[in-house]
Amino acid sequence: MKETLFSGIQPTGELHIGNYLGAIRNWVALQETYDCVYSVVDYHAITIEYDAATFPARIMNAVIMLLACGIDPRKARLFVQSHVPEHTELAWVFSSVTPMGELGRMTQFKEKSEQHRQNVNAGLFTYPVLQAADILVYKATRVPVGEDQVQHIELTREVARAFNARYGAVFPECQAIVSKARRILGLDGKAKMSKSLNNYLGLMESPE
């Protein structure tokens, strides 16, 4: 039997070459090796400010983009996160075994708190708990990520250990598959590829 693999993409921003090289191209190739579960993670996207009026269209565009790039429904499962309530239900259970101190150490939380100082919300803080639920609800053992997400996968393993220690062996300890493209930088050579480059390239609207 193939190992189960999970990954998700947020329906925010616009498609750029960093998305394709860092994630989507890899997703397409992995369909041949793993039992792949791919999701448009719209709940994660609402942790930062967004346009509610255009959000449904962005979700649909994300699905269309993934299909156009080669995600094959005959080989992989593709769905919208908010359509499967078990994700948030399991996240609530996981929140009871996840120490706040571990969440406070997440580098991405610190970075996004700086970027979105007017909207540092509880969802942004507990983002990795929902991410752990996204992965473990399918008992996935492999997760393709960029190097900036490896810390979250490490936390997912800790959440699985904590749950298993309390309730018995239920969830596997997943492992990250780090993209060969690693971190796709923007024109300044420092930050991740930005929306300004997207506009320069003139690409269609799709997930960030």
Side-chain angles (χ1 to χ4, degrees):
M1 292 181 62
K2 293 181 178 179
E3 289 186 74
T4 301
L5 175 149
F6 176 88
S7 196
I9 192 166
Q10 294 189 38
T12 57
E14 299 174 350
L15 176 65
H16 54 65
I17 195 170
N19 295 136
Y20 182 75
L21 294 179
I24 300 169
R25 181 179 63 173
N26 196 30
W27 284 16
V28 174
L30 289 168
Q31 292 179 119
E32 306 301 327
T33 308
Y34 296 95
D35 176 15
C36 293
V37 182
Y38 296 136
S39 179
V40 175
V41 288
D42 50 339
Y43 278 146
H44 286 296
I46 65 174
T47 58
I48 60 174
E49 293 184 3
Y50 66 100
D51 183 355
T54 62
F55 198 57
R58 288 192 180 279
I59 294 171
M60 180 60 70
N61 286 343
V63 174
I64 293 170
M65 180 273 294
L66 291 173
L67 292 172
C69 286
I71 299 303
D72 188 343
R74 295 168 298 183
K75 299 178 180 179
R77 285 169 277 178
L78 176 62
F79 63 95
V80 177
Q81 180 189 37
S82 62
H83 293 187
V84 183
E86 287 81 1
H87 285 242
T88 48
E89 291 170 1
L90 184 58
W92 176 253
V93 175
F94 281 168
S95 69
S96 69
V97 298
T98 306
M100 290 182 64
E102 292 297 325
L103 295 176
R105 282 192 282 273
M106 295 293 104
T107 300
Q108 191 171 80
F109 170 71
K110 296 175 182 177
E111 291 177 350
K112 287 195 173 183
S113 295
E114 284 294 316
Q115 295 170 7
H116 307 279
R117 293 184 181 182
Q118 303 303 314
N119 186 31
V120 183
N121 55 72
L124 191 61
F125 186 70
T126 59
Y127 180 110
V129 180
L130 179 56
Q131 189 175 47
D134 294 335
I135 297 164
L136 295 177
V137 73
Y138 302 100
K139 296 187 177 180
T141 56
R142 294 290 184 270
V143 187
V145 293
E147 60 181 11
D148 58 332
Q149 285 286 320
V150 170
Q151 189 183 34
H152 284 189
I153 304 308
E154 293 170 350
L155 179 65
T156 298
R157 288 198 295 271
E158 293 179 14
V159 170
R161 291 185 200 121
F163 183 96
N164 292 343
R166 181 178 295 182
Y167 300 108
V170 176
F171 297 109
E173 294 186 17
C174 60
Q175 301 294 324
I177 300 176
V178 182
S179 170
K180 293 180 180 179
R182 297 293 179 111
R183 193 177 179 92
I184 307 299
L185 302 180
L187 295 177
D188 61 2
K190 297 177 181 179
K192 288 182 73 173
M193 191 169 288
S194 66
K195 292 180 181 178
S196 62
L197 181 57
N198 303 343
N199 295 335
Y200 174 76
L201 293 174
L203 296 172
M204 61 181 285
E205 285 196 354
S206 290
E208 183 171 350

